[in-house]
Amino acid sequence: MGDDPARLYRLDGVAHIAGVINKEPQRCIRSMRRQQGMRLDDRYVPYLQMAGLYHLARLNDRWFRLDEALVSAFVERWRPETHTFHMPFGECTITLQDVAYQLGLPVDGRYVSGCLSEFHIYIEGGRPAWVWFQELLGVIPPPSQVQKYVVNCNWFQETFGECPEDADDDTVRRYARAYIMMLLGMQLFADKSGNRIHIRWLPYVAMLEKLGTYSWGSAALAWLYRCMCRVTNRHDVKWSGYNPSGSEKGPRVQMWRLRIDRCPNKGEFLLQFIWMPYSSPDVLQVVHPEVLEPRHMALWRSVTALIYFSVIEWHQIDRVLPQFGGVQPPPHPALNIDFLMSKDGRGGDRWFPSTLQKWHLLWDSRQDCVLRFDVVADPGPSHAFLDWWSQHGKRFLSPETQLGDPRAVPIPVEASQRGPG
């Protein structure tokens, strides 16, 4: 790819949703709201705590309002080649720190990988898929509820929705396994169907006591990155246009786009971007203590591979040092991993730690990839970064007539005081 750090090789890709804003300025993403529909029985809690999934299960009890117009405005700024949002003032992204604070998921641990179905070939003590399913869950779904290696989630809910009051320990374990499969498949790693559970989770629920040794946080972020990259492709996602008969999503997308474009300029559209939102004492009082263990916190600064079975993504926090209190210099060249972006696990079952060994080994050496840099009182982009960004970044998406031309705004004086980064 060359050593030119100015090169953003997919900056103006024709398939990116940002490339059609002028033609369709009011396009808004249409979300699919999911909630794992099984009741959290108190008897499952010890298993969820061992797995590091209890905080996620508690979140499942709520519905969260999604501002689809705001999400759409950020999707327009997501760049698959850098895994960052391209903002007027520089780059920012969703990091392992965000996953830890927001979802309470463990970050350090083994990668979440393996194979999709042929467990008896690759896993010691594994069984053929449906034999293992019956052994672990005590029942086989009827053929009408199965499509290859996925099971209808409604069947899961009807079969395991209520654990009997007089259930023995083995029965509770079976119901806890089903609950965890639903939690993973419907909430943390949901696909766009929103109504099916993959049996890839059988080897994991077969060893409930070891679930806590896995890095659910890094796997969740890998899947989020992959979904974000897919949703930026205007051909690969459900978008809804503006409906003048009632929907206000289209104009609100334009409003949010303009507010982001004007950030952080002062005026009626003022938005404030906080580089380190978790440094507030109010946040630290309510955060899950487990995520603040040093072994987890160290990985927030690790430039490493993120793994979720065949999904390999890249934790590029070297491009967003201000989110960790540092000064951002001009970045290294964008890493071209398009060949990994095309992999979805189809085309025959494989043992991914072998077929994608290089990237799994990178995760194994994650502690060696932790960045060291000075934490300063005024984190942000350096003058050199902003000079580079003004020339090469995708800074503004709104029409110039709406912007009031902030392109003419000089680089802030305080940026030159932060040093080179």
Side-chain angles (χ1 to χ4, degrees):
M1 192 180 73
D3 295 324
D4 180 8
R7 182 174 182 179
L8 296 171
Y9 67 95
R10 285 168 62 178
L11 183 63
D12 295 308
V14 294
H16 196 287
I17 187 61
V20 295
I21 285 177
N22 292 334
K23 294 181 180 178
E24 301 174 78
Q26 295 188 350
R27 287 182 68 161
C28 182
I29 194 170
R30 185 168 73 249
S31 66
M32 298 179 64
R33 301 187 182 185
R34 303 179 180 88
Q35 189 178 33
Q36 194 270 87
M38 292 166 59
R39 184 177 69 87
L40 176 56
D41 193 298
D42 290 341
R43 290 169 290 181
Y44 307 159
V45 171
Y47 298 109
L48 291 165
Q49 289 175 328
M50 283 190 298
L53 298 171
Y54 179 53
H55 302 302
L56 179 70
R58 293 177 62 196
L59 287 175
N60 182 66
D61 290 337
R62 304 184 173 190
W63 282 103
F64 294 91
R65 178 179 177 271
L66 180 65
D67 190 328
E68 294 175 339
L70 177 59
V71 171
S72 296
F74 272 93
V75 165
E76 295 170 353
R77 293 186 166 276
W78 180 260
R79 307 311 304 188
E81 71 272 39
T82 59
H83 290 154
T84 58
F85 297 103
H86 283 201
M87 306 291 280
F89 49 82
E91 296 178 88
C92 59
T93 195
I94 305 164
T95 71
L96 288 172
Q97 182 186 39
D98 297 306
V99 174
Y101 272 100
Q102 298 289 337
L103 301 180
L105 292 172
V107 170
D108 191 31
R110 294 190 286 176
Y111 47 68
V112 177
S113 187
C115 62
L116 299 182
S117 60
E118 302 298 330
F119 312 121
H120 60 291
I121 297 176
Y122 304 108
I123 300 175
E124 183 179 354
R127 315 281 197 280
W130 297 108
V131 173
W132 214 358
F133 191 102
Q134 185 170 30
E135 180 179 315
L136 294 173
L137 299 178
V139 64
I140 287 288
S144 61
Q145 301 299 317
V146 176
Q147 183 179 356
K148 202 169 182 179
Y149 292 111
V150 297
V151 182
N152 191 314
C153 70
N154 290 331
W155 178 84
F156 261 90
Q157 292 172 347
E158 293 169 1
T159 307
F160 299 102
E162 293 286 341
C163 185
E165 291 295 332
D166 58 350
D168 58 21
D169 290 343
D170 288 341
T171 300
V172 172
R173 283 172 67 88
R174 288 199 297 271
Y175 274 74
R177 290 185 180 116
Y179 183 93
I180 290 174
M181 287 183 69
M182 284 284 287
L183 188 67
L184 296 174
M186 283 293 293
Q187 187 167 348
L188 197 57
F189 302 106
D191 63 20
K192 59 185 178 183
S193 73
N195 60 5
R196 59 194 184 190
I197 308 298
H198 200 284
I199 63 170
R200 71 182 67 192
W201 301 115
L202 291 178
Y204 289 87
V205 298
M207 47 180 189
L208 290 175
E209 292 78 7
K210 295 184 178 180
L211 282 178
T213 64
Y214 288 91
S215 174
W216 297 111
S218 66
L221 190 57
W223 185 236
L224 175 61
Y225 279 179
R226 180 58 55 90
C227 292
M228 289 291 292
C229 291
R230 287 176 176 172
V231 82
T232 59
N233 188 330
R234 70 178 188 271
H235 303 303
D236 193 34
V237 69
K238 292 182 179 179
W239 293 80
S240 59
Y242 172 52
N243 178 4
S245 64
S247 173
E248 296 182 357
K249 293 178 183 178
R252 291 188 65 250
V253 171
Q254 291 178 292
M255 180 270 291
W256 279 119
R257 185 185 302 136
L258 182 59
R259 294 188 70 179
I260 294 173
D261 277 334
R262 291 186 171 182
C263 179
N265 298 315
K266 295 183 178 180
E268 61 175 314
F269 291 98
L270 174 63
L271 281 179
Q272 183 181 8
F273 187 85
I274 302 174
W275 285 110
M276 300 178 66
Y278 306 118
S279 59
S280 167
D282 294 338
V283 174
L284 295 176
Q285 289 178 2
V286 298
V287 72
H288 312 301
E290 304 96 307
V291 308
L292 298 181
E293 293 180 17
R295 66 188 182 95
H296 294 305
M297 294 176 63
L299 294 188
W300 298 349
R301 298 184 178 191
S302 182
V303 180
T304 186
L306 303 172
I307 300 169
Y308 168 61
F309 290 91
S310 64
V311 173
I312 309 292
E313 297 290 350
W314 200 241
H315 193 230
Q316 301 186 86
I317 64 104
D318 54 321
R319 304 185 73 98
V320 294
L321 296 187
Q323 291 182 227
F324 297 90
V327 176
Q328 182 63 51
H332 297 295
L335 180 66
N336 188 333
I337 56 172
D338 281 358
F339 71 102
L340 288 172
M341 299 281 290
S342 64
K343 297 185 180 299
D344 57 8
R346 298 177 184 176
D349 206 12
R350 288 155 293 183
W351 184 248
F352 298 118
S354 296
T355 58
L356 299 171
Q357 184 182 44
K358 170 185 175 182
W359 307 94
H360 287 69
L361 291 175
L362 278 172
W363 174 255
D364 286 340
S365 62
R366 57 195 177 274
Q367 296 287 357
D368 299 331
C369 304
V370 175
L371 295 186
R372 270 77 178 178
F373 52 87
D374 293 331
V375 176
V376 299
D378 180 28
S382 67
H383 188 282
F385 173 89
L386 291 175
D387 183 58
W388 171 82
W389 191 241
S390 65
Q391 299 177 55
H392 303 288
K394 193 79 170 181
R395 300 173 62 200
F396 307 104
L397 299 181
S398 299
E400 291 186 26
T401 54
Q402 297 180 9
L403 280 172
D405 198 11
R407 296 165 177 82
V409 176
I411 294 175
V413 175
E414 59 266 23
S416 62
Q417 300 171 348
R418 295 187 181 117

